Amino acid sequence: MKKILELLERDASLSAEQIAVMLGRDPIAVAAQIKEFEEKNIIVGYKTIINWENTDAEPVSAIIELKVTPQRSEGFDEVAKRIYQYEEVASVYLMSGGYDLALIIEGKTMKEVALFVAEKLAPLEQVLSTATHFVLKKYKVDGVIINEKHQDTREVMSL
Amino acid sequence: MNYEQLLSEKVKQIPPSGIRKFFDIVSEMKDAISLGVGEPDFVTPWHIRDEAIYSLERGRTYYTSNAGLMELRTELSRYMERRVNLTYDPAKEILVTVGGSEAIDLCIRALVNPGDEVLVPEPSFVCYKPCAVLAGATAVPIVTKNEDKFKLTKQALLDAITPKTKLLVLPYPNNPTGGIMTNEDLEEIASVLREKNIFVLSDEIYGELTYGREHVSIASLPGMWERTIVVNGFSKSYAMTGWRLGWAAAPKEIMEQMMKIHQYAIMCAPTASQYAAVEAVKNGDNDIARMREEYNYRRRVIVDGFNKMGLSCFEPEGAFYVFPSVQSTGLTSNDFAEKLLMQEKIAVVPGTAFGDSGEGFIRCSYAYSIANINAALERIDRFVNGRS
């Protein structure tokens, strides 16, 4: 059961049938299991890792550190909810340590991201301070090394 | 100079490996997909590489003792205790070699006299026969069969034994067939060897790569330790082919003789490799498990693929090869491999490279990414089913 999740986590494009072969299990059972994972919100979605740098588009991403005032009785959850509604916000994490929320913001240009922080996030009454860090280059994303194309360098051997 | 007359007769009679010539063509061919390579596609795990680098930083650039770093031999004795339930004295009964292949050569040379016979189950790895011949012995093939899952059977062994039989090579888990020997299978063989007083060279290089059941060493059976030379290495299990490191474990009387050859021919295995190996054998069990799982996925994909396209393929339980039959196509192994390469640019190894009994089969390695395997299967399917 966990194996199905592990396989899908590293390659979402695998079909239920392919997974069934890899695990030596019945395809119908595997498909049913995947469906159940989806229904139980264990599999939340499927995404593709794209190296945008190799395309014409060059989206900008930034990590924003936020210090916020937690809300009475709702703690940080209400603040987070308020913030993750914005579609510019790709990820929101509650953090331990020097600040409270870490955001990953995706935008078309640096200006767009900066303005979003200045105009939408900073004015929120629960937000005490923001620090914006632009991502300059991505090396490894979700376990995948971005700019390394695998090459088979094994030489001819007599065995 | 008339070299023909001057060169060693014994060496001249040995043919070059049949696998190589094929792949010289492949390496020239653009966009060919290979299922030919007999080594892991994984890079050696970083923590192992890191230890080798650290050993260089510390200036560990000297020879080690002839038998190998004591620390490594001690770890190897613990490893053998833990994995195959065998006890060897690291000081006298373990020798670190340049790959498992050196250990094979040493073992045969240390045991045989001119005229002795060495039994070699086939299809199998290509080096046993030449090593036996170079040592002045005669290699006697024992044919193993698809219907027996390419296991060595008691009867086949009995049929091959003569008064001159000195040594049996036991190459399981097997390259190229993927066959294994279970505890019960081994007991059958052991009963014969005990009675006839024959040595065994147990080549367990793929011992960590079994799927479904744990590898058993024949040396762990009653009365077998004293007549078995276990050969193993880091190449396959830890993805360390290029480090050229293996070992042999045997009773000290045999080891003393092997040691002399090693001492004069090799001196010692490479030092940096040995430091890497200490880390591997100490902290590498998880790496093995991870790679084994990955091979197992691929194994199921490739077996499924061959059976679906109509090339029947018994389920291999070890190593990283499948050995499907191509008899249904009416082609010989060699014609199949050659036509497949020319028409679809897929490289496989004809079964005959591993002995005459490999006729009718091809060896495909699944030490390749699943994407690579799937692409190859698609083309082989087109070749097999689009042809007639």
Side-chain angles (χ1 to χ4, degrees), chain A residues 60-66 103 105 110-118 121-122 129-135:
Chain A
V60 178
S61 45
I63 295 171
I64 321 277
E65 302 171 4
L66 286 189
L103 275 51
I105 309 281
M110 274 204 193
K111 191 172 169 195
E112 188 183 285
V113 173
L115 283 177
F116 172 74
V117 176
L121 291 180
S129 70
T130 69
T132 304
H133 309 276
F134 283 101
V135 174

mmCIF file of all heavy atoms in Angstrom, chain A residues 60-66 103 105 110-118 121-122 129-135:
data_model
loop_
_atom_site.group_PDB
_atom_site.id
_atom_site.type_symbol
_atom_site.label_atom_id
_atom_site.label_comp_id
_atom_site.label_asym_id
_atom_site.label_seq_id
_atom_site.Cartn_x
_atom_site.Cartn_y
_atom_site.Cartn_z
ATOM 1 N N VAL A 60 9.119 33.908 -11.944
ATOM 2 C CA VAL A 60 9.953 34.259 -10.800
ATOM 3 C C VAL A 60 9.356 33.614 -9.567
ATOM 4 O O VAL A 60 8.138 33.577 -9.407
ATOM 5 C CB VAL A 60 9.932 35.797 -10.610
ATOM 6 C CG1 VAL A 60 10.762 36.193 -9.400
ATOM 7 C CG2 VAL A 60 10.418 36.480 -11.858
ATOM 8 N N SER A 61 10.191 33.085 -8.706
ATOM 9 C CA SER A 61 9.628 32.659 -7.435
ATOM 10 C C SER A 61 10.429 33.254 -6.287
ATOM 11 O O SER A 61 11.605 33.606 -6.445
ATOM 12 C CB SER A 61 9.524 31.146 -7.327
ATOM 13 O OG SER A 61 10.692 30.543 -7.765
ATOM 14 N N ALA A 62 9.731 33.394 -5.168
ATOM 15 C CA ALA A 62 10.356 34.005 -4.007
ATOM 16 C C ALA A 62 9.876 33.301 -2.758
ATOM 17 O O ALA A 62 8.783 32.751 -2.712
ATOM 18 C CB ALA A 62 9.999 35.491 -3.937
ATOM 19 N N ILE A 63 10.770 33.279 -1.778
ATOM 20 C CA ILE A 63 10.377 32.759 -0.468
ATOM 21 C C ILE A 63 10.167 33.961 0.446
ATOM 22 O O ILE A 63 11.031 34.846 0.525
ATOM 23 C CB ILE A 63 11.476 31.827 0.094
ATOM 24 C CG1 ILE A 63 11.584 30.592 -0.806
ATOM 25 C CG2 ILE A 63 11.167 31.430 1.532
ATOM 26 C CD1 ILE A 63 12.755 29.704 -0.507
ATOM 27 N N ILE A 64 8.999 34.037 1.065
ATOM 28 C CA ILE A 64 8.685 35.175 1.946
ATOM 29 C C ILE A 64 8.590 34.675 3.377
ATOM 30 O O ILE A 64 7.880 33.707 3.651
ATOM 31 C CB ILE A 64 7.313 35.805 1.597
ATOM 32 C CG1 ILE A 64 7.093 35.848 0.089
ATOM 33 C CG2 ILE A 64 7.155 37.151 2.269
ATOM 34 C CD1 ILE A 64 7.693 36.975 -0.622
ATOM 35 N N GLU A 65 9.321 35.314 4.236
ATOM 36 C CA GLU A 65 9.189 35.010 5.665
ATOM 37 C C GLU A 65 8.204 36.005 6.274
ATOM 38 O O GLU A 65 8.352 37.221 6.092
ATOM 39 C CB GLU A 65 10.528 35.180 6.384
ATOM 40 C CG GLU A 65 11.641 34.312 5.832
ATOM 41 C CD GLU A 65 13.001 34.685 6.430
ATOM 42 O OE1 GLU A 65 13.056 35.563 7.313
ATOM 43 O OE2 GLU A 65 13.994 34.095 5.986
ATOM 44 N N LEU A 66 7.240 35.491 6.968
ATOM 45 C CA LEU A 66 6.247 36.388 7.589
ATOM 46 C C LEU A 66 6.250 36.202 9.089
ATOM 47 O O LEU A 66 6.238 35.069 9.580
ATOM 48 C CB LEU A 66 4.842 36.040 7.104
ATOM 49 C CG LEU A 66 4.405 36.413 5.699
ATOM 50 C CD1 LEU A 66 2.911 36.143 5.565
ATOM 51 C CD2 LEU A 66 4.693 37.872 5.414
ATOM 52 N N LEU A 103 6.254 31.432 2.923
ATOM 53 C CA LEU A 103 5.418 31.401 1.724
ATOM 54 C C LEU A 103 6.321 31.203 0.509
ATOM 55 O O LEU A 103 7.435 31.731 0.478
ATOM 56 C CB LEU A 103 4.710 32.743 1.538
ATOM 57 C CG LEU A 103 3.393 33.016 2.246
ATOM 58 C CD1 LEU A 103 3.487 32.722 3.723
ATOM 59 C CD2 LEU A 103 2.976 34.457 2.004
ATOM 60 N N ILE A 105 6.046 32.227 -3.330
ATOM 61 C CA ILE A 105 5.225 33.028 -4.233
ATOM 62 C C ILE A 105 5.720 32.842 -5.654
ATOM 63 O O ILE A 105 6.922 32.851 -5.895
ATOM 64 C CB ILE A 105 5.356 34.540 -3.890
ATOM 65 C CG1 ILE A 105 5.124 34.786 -2.408
ATOM 66 C CG2 ILE A 105 4.427 35.370 -4.760
ATOM 67 C CD1 ILE A 105 3.702 34.790 -1.996
ATOM 68 N N MET A 110 9.714 39.996 -11.213
ATOM 69 C CA MET A 110 10.104 40.374 -9.848
ATOM 70 C C MET A 110 9.211 41.476 -9.326
ATOM 71 O O MET A 110 8.803 41.493 -8.162
ATOM 72 C CB MET A 110 11.549 40.882 -9.851
ATOM 73 C CG MET A 110 12.562 39.788 -9.711
ATOM 74 S SD MET A 110 14.064 40.491 -9.046
ATOM 75 C CE MET A 110 15.192 39.168 -9.320
ATOM 76 N N LYS A 111 8.888 42.390 -10.221
ATOM 77 C CA LYS A 111 8.076 43.528 -9.808
ATOM 78 C C LYS A 111 6.707 43.051 -9.340
ATOM 79 O O LYS A 111 6.184 43.501 -8.311
ATOM 80 C CB LYS A 111 7.936 44.487 -10.982
ATOM 81 C CG LYS A 111 7.346 45.819 -10.600
ATOM 82 C CD LYS A 111 7.409 46.782 -11.764
ATOM 83 C CE LYS A 111 6.569 48.024 -11.440
ATOM 84 N NZ LYS A 111 6.304 48.818 -12.629
ATOM 85 N N GLU A 112 6.167 42.121 -10.090
ATOM 86 C CA GLU A 112 4.847 41.616 -9.739
ATOM 87 C C GLU A 112 4.861 40.980 -8.346
ATOM 88 O O GLU A 112 3.960 41.211 -7.539
ATOM 89 C CB GLU A 112 4.418 40.563 -10.780
ATOM 90 C CG GLU A 112 2.980 40.106 -10.635
ATOM 91 C CD GLU A 112 2.635 39.006 -11.651
ATOM 92 O OE1 GLU A 112 2.467 39.339 -12.838
ATOM 93 O OE2 GLU A 112 2.548 37.833 -11.240
ATOM 94 N N VAL A 113 5.919 40.220 -8.080
ATOM 95 C CA VAL A 113 6.019 39.579 -6.762
ATOM 96 C C VAL A 113 6.195 40.625 -5.671
ATOM 97 O O VAL A 113 5.519 40.593 -4.630
ATOM 98 C CB VAL A 113 7.199 38.565 -6.733
ATOM 99 C CG1 VAL A 113 7.419 38.028 -5.321
ATOM 100 C CG2 VAL A 113 6.934 37.416 -7.699
ATOM 101 N N ALA A 114 7.076 41.573 -5.927
ATOM 102 C CA ALA A 114 7.348 42.609 -4.914
ATOM 103 C C ALA A 114 6.091 43.410 -4.614
ATOM 104 O O ALA A 114 5.779 43.712 -3.447
ATOM 105 C CB ALA A 114 8.467 43.528 -5.401
ATOM 106 N N LEU A 115 5.355 43.733 -5.673
ATOM 107 C CA LEU A 115 4.130 44.513 -5.469
ATOM 108 C C LEU A 115 3.077 43.716 -4.712
ATOM 109 O O LEU A 115 2.358 44.245 -3.873
ATOM 110 C CB LEU A 115 3.558 44.963 -6.821
ATOM 111 C CG LEU A 115 4.297 46.146 -7.448
ATOM 112 C CD1 LEU A 115 3.701 46.479 -8.814
ATOM 113 C CD2 LEU A 115 4.253 47.373 -6.533
ATOM 114 N N PHE A 116 3.040 42.418 -5.003
ATOM 115 C CA PHE A 116 2.079 41.570 -4.293
ATOM 116 C C PHE A 116 2.359 41.601 -2.787
ATOM 117 O O PHE A 116 1.455 41.745 -1.969
ATOM 118 C CB PHE A 116 2.153 40.129 -4.815
ATOM 119 C CG PHE A 116 1.349 39.159 -4.012
ATOM 120 C CD1 PHE A 116 -0.044 39.140 -4.118
ATOM 121 C CD2 PHE A 116 1.963 38.298 -3.121
ATOM 122 C CE1 PHE A 116 -0.793 38.262 -3.349
ATOM 123 C CE2 PHE A 116 1.211 37.422 -2.357
ATOM 124 C CZ PHE A 116 -0.169 37.396 -2.465
ATOM 125 N N VAL A 117 3.645 41.508 -2.450
ATOM 126 C CA VAL A 117 4.008 41.539 -1.033
ATOM 127 C C VAL A 117 3.645 42.895 -0.425
ATOM 128 O O VAL A 117 3.040 42.989 0.646
ATOM 129 C CB VAL A 117 5.512 41.232 -0.836
ATOM 130 C CG1 VAL A 117 5.911 41.369 0.626
ATOM 131 C CG2 VAL A 117 5.830 39.830 -1.338
ATOM 132 N N ALA A 118 4.004 43.941 -1.153
ATOM 133 C CA ALA A 118 3.792 45.286 -0.605
ATOM 134 C C ALA A 118 2.317 45.646 -0.513
ATOM 135 O O ALA A 118 1.872 46.280 0.454
ATOM 136 C CB ALA A 118 4.531 46.307 -1.467
ATOM 137 N N LEU A 121 0.146 41.513 1.063
ATOM 138 C CA LEU A 121 0.529 40.822 2.302
ATOM 139 C C LEU A 121 0.828 41.794 3.437
ATOM 140 O O LEU A 121 0.243 41.693 4.523
ATOM 141 C CB LEU A 121 1.750 39.930 2.069
ATOM 142 C CG LEU A 121 1.547 38.704 1.196
ATOM 143 C CD1 LEU A 121 2.853 37.927 1.077
ATOM 144 C CD2 LEU A 121 0.459 37.799 1.774
ATOM 145 N N ALA A 122 1.724 42.750 3.163
ATOM 146 C CA ALA A 122 2.172 43.644 4.230
ATOM 147 C C ALA A 122 1.013 44.387 4.909
ATOM 148 O O ALA A 122 1.016 44.535 6.135
ATOM 149 C CB ALA A 122 3.224 44.600 3.689
ATOM 150 N N SER A 129 5.674 41.609 9.968
ATOM 151 C CA SER A 129 6.792 41.987 9.100
ATOM 152 C C SER A 129 6.945 40.958 7.991
ATOM 153 O O SER A 129 6.459 39.824 8.108
ATOM 154 C CB SER A 129 8.095 42.067 9.908
ATOM 155 O OG SER A 129 8.476 40.758 10.297
ATOM 156 N N THR A 130 7.584 41.367 6.915
ATOM 157 C CA THR A 130 7.847 40.443 5.806
ATOM 158 C C THR A 130 9.318 40.553 5.405
ATOM 159 O O THR A 130 9.928 41.604 5.570
ATOM 160 C CB THR A 130 7.009 40.771 4.552
ATOM 161 O OG1 THR A 130 7.487 42.001 4.003
ATOM 162 C CG2 THR A 130 5.531 40.883 4.870
ATOM 163 N N ALA A 131 9.868 39.450 4.914
ATOM 164 C CA ALA A 131 11.206 39.493 4.310
ATOM 165 C C ALA A 131 11.139 38.679 3.029
ATOM 166 O O ALA A 131 10.732 37.513 3.053
ATOM 167 C CB ALA A 131 12.246 38.907 5.259
ATOM 168 N N THR A 132 11.474 39.295 1.925
ATOM 169 C CA THR A 132 11.336 38.637 0.619
ATOM 170 C C THR A 132 12.696 38.166 0.102
ATOM 171 O O THR A 132 13.646 38.937 0.063
ATOM 172 C CB THR A 132 10.719 39.622 -0.407
ATOM 173 O OG1 THR A 132 9.490 40.090 0.122
ATOM 174 C CG2 THR A 132 10.484 38.935 -1.742
ATOM 175 N N HIS A 133 12.771 36.887 -0.263
ATOM 176 C CA HIS A 133 14.014 36.349 -0.842
ATOM 177 C C HIS A 133 13.690 35.789 -2.214
ATOM 178 O O HIS A 133 12.932 34.821 -2.320
ATOM 179 C CB HIS A 133 14.577 35.214 0.019
ATOM 180 C CG HIS A 133 14.711 35.571 1.464
ATOM 181 N ND1 HIS A 133 15.783 36.239 1.980
ATOM 182 C CD2 HIS A 133 13.871 35.363 2.514
ATOM 183 C CE1 HIS A 133 15.623 36.410 3.278
ATOM 184 N NE2 HIS A 133 14.459 35.899 3.628
ATOM 185 N N PHE A 134 14.249 36.384 -3.251
ATOM 186 C CA PHE A 134 14.001 35.857 -4.595
ATOM 187 C C PHE A 134 14.875 34.646 -4.884
ATOM 188 O O PHE A 134 16.041 34.609 -4.497
ATOM 189 C CB PHE A 134 14.268 36.938 -5.650
ATOM 190 C CG PHE A 134 13.148 37.931 -5.725
ATOM 191 C CD1 PHE A 134 13.262 39.180 -5.121
ATOM 192 C CD2 PHE A 134 11.971 37.602 -6.378
ATOM 193 C CE1 PHE A 134 12.216 40.083 -5.169
ATOM 194 C CE2 PHE A 134 10.922 38.503 -6.431
ATOM 195 C CZ PHE A 134 11.037 39.747 -5.816
ATOM 196 N N VAL A 135 14.299 33.690 -5.563
ATOM 197 C CA VAL A 135 15.062 32.507 -5.958
ATOM 198 C C VAL A 135 15.825 32.849 -7.236
ATOM 199 O O VAL A 135 15.235 33.305 -8.211
ATOM 200 C CB VAL A 135 14.126 31.307 -6.218
ATOM 201 C CG1 VAL A 135 14.909 30.115 -6.768
ATOM 202 C CG2 VAL A 135 13.388 30.923 -4.942
#
